Amino acid sequence: GGRAVEDAPRGRYGLGDQFGYCCGSSNSVGVLQRGCRDLAGAAIKDRDSSHLPKRFCISRKGSVRRPAMKGEEQLVAELIPLGFGEVQLETLSPADQVALFHNAEVVVGQHGAGMTNMMFCGPQTTVLEIGHGQTITRWRTFHQMAAAAGCQFEGFFCDYDTEDPTIKPNLARDGFPVPWVTDAARAAIIDRVKALI
């Protein structure tokens, strides 16, 4: 008997009243998330993961699902001297992905499905996720993963990589745009990384 979501009143950011409820419910951690995390951690307990970096940036170069964010190469170039490795999750086995995140200190990456691996992080990990205005309603799921892991999760909002980054893209017509890590955004991310390490 309630109103449809489309008819819900919109607040300052154009989000319906249901957003607060969804955000709150998605920040809860269920038995299934903890169970999955515990099983995966037990499976890699005796695995040698010394070949995996503890600080890393997730690269989307060559990804078939979503292209790399604009400015990714420059960001990676500034992270490498700070002890970061560059990883492509598609090239790693599921066990290596679990081990990579489980032992991580700092993770930097573009918003996307690969970030669900943060569920396997520990309290020693800080995850810095890079997105834009379209990802604000999608980040709530990652807060849930971070809560399951007990890790720190921070989001950086960047411009859209579009002809006019000030105009909100039409997802139905243009697809999901990637973030544009401008010089200013890159400087903010690097400053935060330096503060963490």
Side-chain angles (χ1 to χ4, degrees), residues 54-73:
K54 294 192 182 294
R55 298 175 189 161
F56 58 93
C57 182
I58 300 169
S59 174
R60 290 288 183 88
K61 283 190 280 195
S63 174
V64 293
R65 283 204 68 224
R66 190 176 293 163
M69 59 192 165
K70 184 175 181 180
E72 179 181 298
E73 288 185 21

Side-chain angles (χ1 to χ4, degrees), residues 10 28 30 33 37 40 46 56 58 64 89 97 102 105 108 129 143 145 166 172 179 186:
R10 302 285 171 186
S28 62
Q33 286 92 2
R37 175 184 154 67
D46 298 322
F56 58 93
I58 300 169
V64 293
L89 296 178
Q97 289 184 44
H102 182 75
E105 294 171 0
V108 177
E129 186 173 30
H143 284 281
M145 299 298 162
T166 64
R186 187 173 64 254

Side-chain angles (χ1 to χ4, degrees), residues 97-112:
Q97 289 184 44
V98 170
L100 177 72
F101 280 80
H102 182 75
N103 296 310
E105 294 171 0
V106 183
V107 178
V108 177
Q110 178 182 341
H111 173 86

Side-chain angles (χ1 to χ4, degrees), residues 1-5 7:
R3 287 184 296 189
V5 170
D7 297 333

Side-chain angles (χ1 to χ4, degrees), residues 30-41:
V31 174
L32 293 177
Q33 286 92 2
R34 293 267 186 197
C36 177
R37 175 184 154 67
D38 293 346
L39 285 171

Side-chain angles (χ1 to χ4, degrees), residues 58-154:
I58 300 169
S59 174
R60 290 288 183 88
K61 283 190 280 195
S63 174
V64 293
R65 283 204 68 224
R66 190 176 293 163
M69 59 192 165
K70 184 175 181 180
E72 179 181 298
E73 288 185 21
Q74 296 92 331
L75 178 62
V76 171
E78 289 192 37
L79 288 170
I80 287 175
L82 300 174
F84 278 70
E86 180 180 13
V87 299
Q88 291 177 297
L89 296 178
E90 302 89 11
T91 67
L92 300 176
S93 69
D96 272 349
Q97 289 184 44
V98 170
L100 177 72
F101 280 80
H102 182 75
N103 296 310
E105 294 171 0
V106 183
V107 178
V108 177
Q110 178 182 341
H111 173 86
M115 282 296 196
T116 59
N117 285 307
M118 81 171 73
M119 184 181 1
F120 307 118
C121 292
Q124 81 286 353
T125 310
T126 300
V127 177
L128 305 178
E129 186 173 30
I130 302 167
H132 49 56
Q134 293 287 347
T135 56
I136 191 169
T137 58
R138 293 172 174 87
W139 261 327
R140 62 183 178 250
T141 302
F142 295 116
H143 284 281
Q144 184 179 31
M145 299 298 162
C151 69
Q152 178 69 31
F153 173 69
E154 301 176 22

